[in-house]
Structure formats: C-alpha cells, structure tokens
Amino acid sequence: MKKNLVMILVVGFLGGIIGGITWLILFLLNHGIEIIWHVIPENLNLTVYPLVVCALGGVLVGLWEKRFGPYPRELSEIMAEVKSGQKIPYNNLHIIGVAALLPLIFGGSLGPEAGLSGIIVGLCFWFSDKLKFALSEVDEIAEIGMAATIGVIFNSPLFGFVNQIEDDGSVKKIPKNTKILLYFVGIIGGFGAFRFLSRTIGGGPGLGNFPGIETLGSNEWALVIPLALAGSLLGMGYFVFKSIVKKAIQPLKDKVVAKAIVAGAILGGVGMFLPYTMFSGEHQMTDLMTSWQSIGVGLLFVTAVVKLLITNVCLEMGWRGGHIFPVIFAGAAIGYAFAILLPIDPIFCVAVVAAALTGVILRKPLAVILLLLIMFPLDAIIPLVIGAVIGGAIPVPGFLGLDQTE
C-alpha cells in the first residue's frame, strides 16, 4: 500500500510536468505560426509567400536532419519500442524539440503528437532512472507519460488511455488495476497543469466543437453504411499515397536536404491554391465548420484528398510529425462534401465519414471514437461507432507493400 501511494504521488507529479512541457511546446508553436504566417505577411505583398517560406522551411528541416539525424520519430515507432521494453535516450531532447517545431511552424501538414511524445518519453526515462533506487517498477512510467501526453494534446483523457492500451498484450511488472489507476493519475495531473497554464497565459489545442444532430430519420440510417464504406475507401487513399510517395522519392533517398526542400516547395506551391492543405488542420477546423457550404463540394473533396497526399509528402520527405490532426480534418472536409450532395443531417454525415476515414488509418476503433467524441456531440455516438468499426475492420491491401501499423 505504501509503495502504491508513493507511485501515485510520483506519477501525479510527473503528469504535472508533462502537462507543463506540452503547453510550452504548443505555446511556442502557436506564436511561431502567428509571426511567420500572420505578422510578417501583413507587411509584405508577396503572392508566392507560401512557396518561399515553405521552401525556406525545407532548407532548415533538411539541414537540421543532416546534422542531428531523423527526428522526431513517428509516434507508432516510439510506442512500439516502449512497449517492447526498449529504452529511449534522453540526452537529445533539445534536438527533438527543435526538429518537432520546425516543420510545424513552417506550415507542414502534420500534428505535434510525434515530437511531443518523443520529448516526454525521453523525459520519463530520465525521471525513472533517477528513481530506480526507490521503485523497481518505474521502467513502465514512460508508457504512462505517453498516455498523459496524447490525452493532453488531443484534449481527450480517455483517448490517451485507450490509445496506449488498446493493443497492448505485453507482460507488466505493475498489476493491471494499479496501472490503470496510474494512467488516470498521470493524465489528470497533465490535464490540470495544462489547463491551468492555458487559462492563465493562453495557448493550447483547438479542434472546435460540432453542433448537435438536428434531424435523425430514415434517410440517415439508410445511408450510414454506404457513407462508412465511402469514408473507408477514401481513407485507404492515405495508404495509396504513402506507397506512391515512397516509390517516387527513391532517386532522392539519400539526399536529405534536397528531399526536404522539394517537400517544402510542393507544400507551399499547393498551399497557394489550397490553403487548407497546409498546417495540421487543428485551428482550421473551426473555419471549416462555419464555411463548408460556401466552399462547395468540389473544393472540399479536392482539399481533403490533397491533404492526405501532402501529409504523406511531408512524412516521407523529412518533414516529420504526426498525422492524426490532418487525417481528422480531411475526414471532416469529405464528410461535409457528402452532406452538400445528400438529403441528410450534415453532422451525422461528417461523423460517419470522419470516423470511418480515421478508423482506417489509425486501426484503433475505440480510440477513434473517444477521440472524436471530444469534437462531436454525444448524440453522434452511434454514427461514430459505426464509422470507426467499419473503417478499422478493413485491411490495408497487401499489394501496397505497407504494414498496417505504418
């Protein structure tokens, strides 16, 4: 009992540190974007500004990787190594921090979860090394820290918890019930610190909230399966694009700086005509919710599909980060496109399509449901479940030569 109490206090304290670091990184990110993409352009009249800035970003991203290596690593890689018992080094956290911020500040269609998880997991291993004299179980503290980080980033405590344990079958030192308690202590500690800093100083994620479903009748239920299948099929395009980009960049395979510059040029060039294809989509989601009808079917559909492509261009060409925020944005945009065409409630339509598309890519239906419930009203739970389950059940075609966890 005494040992459990000590572990609870340790994890709660660590959760608070995690929440503070997560807030700091997102605070720096938001201010960097504000300066580069709002303050500076106000004093310039440069039509090709996105192309110039993204190409410059490519130079910096490429040079940083050439000097220090490929950071940040993908979230799935970090999670797999932590769960297999491998130790993540913590002597390069400042390098990971800069590597995480550069592509995001310069407009990459990426989320912050990969870079933040790399920093936090390294910090957790440092913390556990310092405490080994007191607790033998602290090797598993990195998993708890990762859950807290993901929960804070996506503003969803349950998503952070379920995303960490949904496919975890490994043997652990800490008893299951105790570890579940520690997960929630760490996540609550992280949320407390993050919310306190966000409210007193500002900053933080902002995916926005969809309004409630106004109508729910026979039209909606008749189309729910076709919509889920359509969303899943479009989500499969993410893996198709990944395969195409992997093959297309073979001539530049070892040219780190050139790859990053080309990716920046593509990102900025496309962004001049389709601005929503840039950035994570997190802050643009609110704009999408209010202007989807005026954007139109064609532009919504093209934006969503191209965003899935651009995200893969960034990831495969050295602009490293996460893919969850861009995927959710693409799913919402395609859902709204279908809502214009079909005589059904738009929020119902977006819920089904976004859940199916995200479910195909993340492969974790329960985590997808809990994540999207932060944005969608509770009355969208059934369409979210149907979309996420159908999307998560569809396998990635073997001919693409990709692992389903990629």
Side-chain angles (χ1 to χ4, degrees), residues 75 79 113 146-166 184 187 191 324-325 328 358 362 364-374:
L75 178 60
M79 290 180 67
E113 65 270 17
M146 188 181 295
T149 305
I150 295 172
V152 170
I153 293 171
F154 293 100
N155 197 31
S156 174
L158 288 177
F159 173 65
F161 172 68
V162 172
N163 185 67
Q164 187 68 11
I165 68 165
E166 192 167 0
F184 281 105
I187 291 171
F191 255 87
I324 297 177
F325 280 128
I328 293 173
T358 309
L362 296 191
K364 295 179 179 181
L366 181 56
V368 169
I369 295 164
L370 294 173
L371 170 61
L372 294 182
L373 270 177
I374 297 301

Side-chain angles (χ1 to χ4, degrees), residues 210-211 285 288-290 292-293 297 300 331-341 346-347 349-350 353:
F210 290 95
M285 187 69 78
L288 182 67
M289 291 176 185
T290 57
W292 59 277
Q293 288 176 304
V297 176
L300 283 169
I334 291 176
Y336 275 128
F338 281 122
I340 294 175
L341 295 172
I347 305 306
C349 186
V350 172
V353 175

